[in-house]
Amino acid sequence: MNKGLILSAILLGSSSHLALAQTCDVEIKGEVPAHISLDKLFVSVYQRDIPVSAHQFSVCATKKDLNVTGQHNPNNKVYLLDKSMDTPLYLYSSLVFVQTKHIELDSISTLANYACDSRCGYYSHQRIQDDAALISLAQQYSQIDAKAKAERSAFTLKHQAALSQLYTKVADIKTLDANRMTEINNPDLWVDPYSGAGLFFESKANLQSTAFMEGIGDNIRNIMNQNPDLKPLVTPHKKDLRVIAEGRLSWEQKGEAIDALAAQFKTYNQPKLDEIIKILKDSYQNASPIFQDYLSNKDKTPFAALNQADSTFELVLANWTLAAYSHSKDKPKFSALFSERFKQERLPIQDKALDSALSRLITLPNHLGQQKLADGYKNIQIEFNDRLSPSNERYDFKDDLQSLSFIYEQGAWRLDNLSQVPMNHYEL
């Protein structure tokens, strides 16, 4: 083989190795008990069974293999599975999350599943696996023959209460008081977890149009009723007034239409018509800055729980998501949950990825609480306990699932930025 071919072979070999490494999204390791045969032994993931060929094994799985959705607790599992018998034997198991890079299939990971009981996110799952009490129970569990299903089940049943307590074994968890529960205990309250959060914000056009019509009120009608002689002058312009009142014109076009009507009314030299024009122009001018007021957070601190600057990150997240969920239909209060920068730069929300990320964030208490907001409020604090150092100015959180930023602005904690991976990120 000439030097050129040798070099090509080396380069191709390197490329193949890199390509293989890139598909190893999660490394799964473990040790098979010595008395367990390797014949028909597999690491079983969502999409396929990966053969195990050594008692100390390490295999790779891709995101597509694992099919883990972009959620806080997707509850996907991987197993060490013995298929040598008529009924497959599950030796060990482990939860897997979007953030998971390495899995150790053993007694610790197996018992952690019982402690989590569908409640864990990535961080609470890691904390439980590192807990001394779980490690102690896992050492006892590992002494039971892996094939003794009845003995294993009896062990987990005996220690289920102790395992369950490991999940809530976190200090300083705030609970919801009765008043707040009454406020959010609304059977009609529901937020789509996938999209539609952008609809919870007011549009500039709607705010200005509403304020304009409120400014007019019944004033023009009252003038007309009090001055019947105006009817012949105004009737020919009824269509112009209707066009100005309706929302089909842009805000700039509405102003131009008012100016055009004013010019026509001036030709009649009728003071009462000047009053009508003044009502239209004043309403237009007063409504113009209404959206800027909407974007401002000055004097807007409607959520007492978010007004404490020295709140921990997990408490800010729990309070913010609960406030957003329970006030999603109250647009002025909902708007106050966001920083001025967010509102100025991201509204209106036309980015589908941003809309989806915000929708999922808002529904976090419902999701982590399994439809019980009070449980979700507690579980958010458990999941994110001590993830960030305390601050009274800003929190920036980022992992492989999401990115979140909260800022203490104008006397309250407000969301400044966010993103989340797509639900089916494994297909990208």
Side-chain angles (χ1 to χ4, degrees):
M1 183 182 290
N2 63 38
K3 291 181 180 179
L5 289 175
I6 293 173
L7 179 61
S8 297
I10 292 172
L11 290 173
L12 285 171
S14 300
S15 299
S16 299
H17 177 74
L18 286 173
L20 181 61
Q22 288 171 351
T23 61
C24 189
D25 296 316
V26 177
E27 181 186 24
I28 306 169
K29 300 170 65 176
E31 184 172 351
V32 182
H35 67 289
I36 301 292
S37 170
L38 298 178
D39 184 42
K40 295 187 178 180
L41 195 66
F42 302 90
V43 169
S44 180
V45 297
Y46 184 86
Q47 294 280 28
R48 67 189 180 108
D49 290 338
I50 307 170
V52 173
S53 58
H55 279 82
Q56 285 192 331
F57 65 89
S58 175
V59 299
C60 284
T62 67
K63 287 183 178 180
K64 193 165 187 178
D65 293 334
L66 297 165
N67 199 54
V68 180
T69 55
Q71 293 177 293
H72 285 273
N73 56 348
N75 291 317
N76 289 46
K77 292 181 182 178
V78 298
Y79 303 92
L80 183 61
L81 186 63
D82 184 354
K83 287 189 171 182
S84 62
M85 298 162 285
D86 292 338
T87 303
L89 180 65
Y90 291 85
L91 302 175
Y92 300 118
S93 64
S94 178
L95 292 170
V96 59
F97 304 87
V98 172
Q99 302 96 322
T100 302
K101 295 291 183 290
H102 305 280
I103 291 176
E104 190 83 24
L105 279 172
D106 55 16
S107 297
I108 291 176
S109 66
T110 303
L111 290 188
N113 296 338
Y114 291 97
C116 282
D117 189 26
S118 301
R119 300 172 295 182
C120 285
Y122 174 73
Y123 299 106
S124 52
H125 181 248
Q126 293 297 107
R127 173 177 55 80
I128 286 171
Q129 289 192 105
D130 293 337
D131 193 288
L134 183 96
I135 293 171
S136 176
L137 287 172
Q139 288 172 342
Q140 300 172 50
Y141 186 78
S142 65
Q143 301 305 310
I144 303 172
D145 189 329
K147 291 185 176 182
K149 294 171 65 175
E151 291 181 44
R152 278 185 153 193
S153 295
F155 181 91
T156 56
L157 185 62
K158 176 183 177 181
H159 296 285
Q160 184 60 61
L163 288 167
S164 295
Q165 289 172 3
L166 295 177
Y167 176 76
T168 54
K169 191 178 172 182
V170 175
D172 196 29
I173 297 301
K174 303 291 189 299
T175 57
L176 288 171
D177 60 48
N179 290 331
R180 294 181 71 192
M181 279 309 298
T182 300
E183 182 180 326
I184 63 177
N185 189 21
N186 180 351
D188 296 326
L189 184 62
W190 186 81
V191 176
D192 188 333
Y194 303 106
S195 64
L199 299 175
F200 302 149
F201 294 96
E202 288 280 16
S203 71
K204 181 177 181 179
N206 185 60
L207 278 172
Q208 290 178 324
S209 178
T210 300
F212 176 71
M213 292 307 297
E214 288 175 352
I216 294 173
D218 294 327
N219 296 327
I220 293 178
R221 184 180 294 108
N222 291 337
I223 292 174
M224 293 293 296
N225 291 337
Q226 294 168 13
N227 299 274
D229 56 317
L230 293 180
K231 187 174 180 180
L233 300 177
V234 174
T235 298
H237 303 286
K238 211 169 184 179
K239 183 179 179 181
D240 298 324
L241 284 167
R242 187 182 302 113
V243 168
I244 289 171
E246 291 174 352
R248 297 178 184 178
L249 298 179
S250 70
W251 191 244
E252 291 72 19
Q253 289 173 332
K254 192 185 292 286
E256 292 168 359
I258 292 172
D259 289 340
L261 183 61
Q264 293 182 58
F265 277 7
K266 276 289 184 186
T267 63
Y268 299 131
N269 195 25
Q270 170 54 265
K272 289 298 180 181
L273 290 180
D274 292 341
E275 289 183 27
I276 292 176
I277 290 300
K278 186 176 188 307
I279 290 170
L280 291 172
K281 288 194 171 185
D282 286 351
S283 297
Y284 182 81
Q285 290 170 359
N286 293 336
S288 293
I290 198 75
F291 189 65
Q292 291 306 313
D293 180 65
Y294 177 76
L295 298 179
S296 170
N297 284 327
K298 186 177 180 182
D299 300 324
K300 297 175 183 176
T301 56
F303 304 101
L306 288 166
N307 298 346
Q308 306 303 312
D310 57 353
S311 297
T312 61
F313 169 67
E314 60 268 25
L315 189 56
V316 169
L317 182 59
N319 282 323
W320 191 95
T321 52
L322 187 70
Y325 189 92
S326 56
H327 293 85
S328 54
K329 306 302 188 291
D330 187 333
K331 291 186 177 182
K333 284 189 175 182
F334 183 78
S335 168
L337 289 165
F338 298 82
S339 72
E340 292 180 352
R341 186 189 71 85
F342 182 97
K343 289 185 283 190
Q344 289 165 3
E345 295 181 4
R346 310 305 294 271
L347 297 185
I349 294 179
Q350 297 174 323
D351 181 350
K352 290 183 179 180
L354 176 60
D355 187 87
S356 176
L358 182 55
S359 299
R360 286 154 62 195
L361 180 64
I362 292 170
T363 56
L364 192 58
N366 204 35
H367 175 68
L368 288 186
Q370 298 179 333
Q371 312 303 315
K372 295 180 181 178
L373 292 177
D375 287 348
Y377 183 76
K378 176 182 66 177
N379 292 344
I380 290 170
Q381 295 173 72
I382 290 173
E383 172 64 14
F384 293 95
N385 183 63
D386 290 337
R387 296 317 308 169
L388 295 178
S389 299
S391 171
N392 57 9
E393 295 180 352
R394 185 178 183 89
Y395 286 116
D396 291 296
F397 177 84
K398 183 178 176 61
D399 64 11
D400 288 338
L401 173 65
Q402 64 179 353
S403 174
L404 292 172
S405 294
F406 290 97
I407 185 172
Y408 193 76
E409 176 185 271
Q410 301 275 11
W413 284 103
R414 310 179 200 265
L415 186 70
D416 193 47
N417 200 14
L418 83 156
S419 65
Q420 288 192 31
V421 298
M423 289 286 287
N424 60 337
H425 63 287
Y426 51 84
E427 294 180 352
L428 301 180

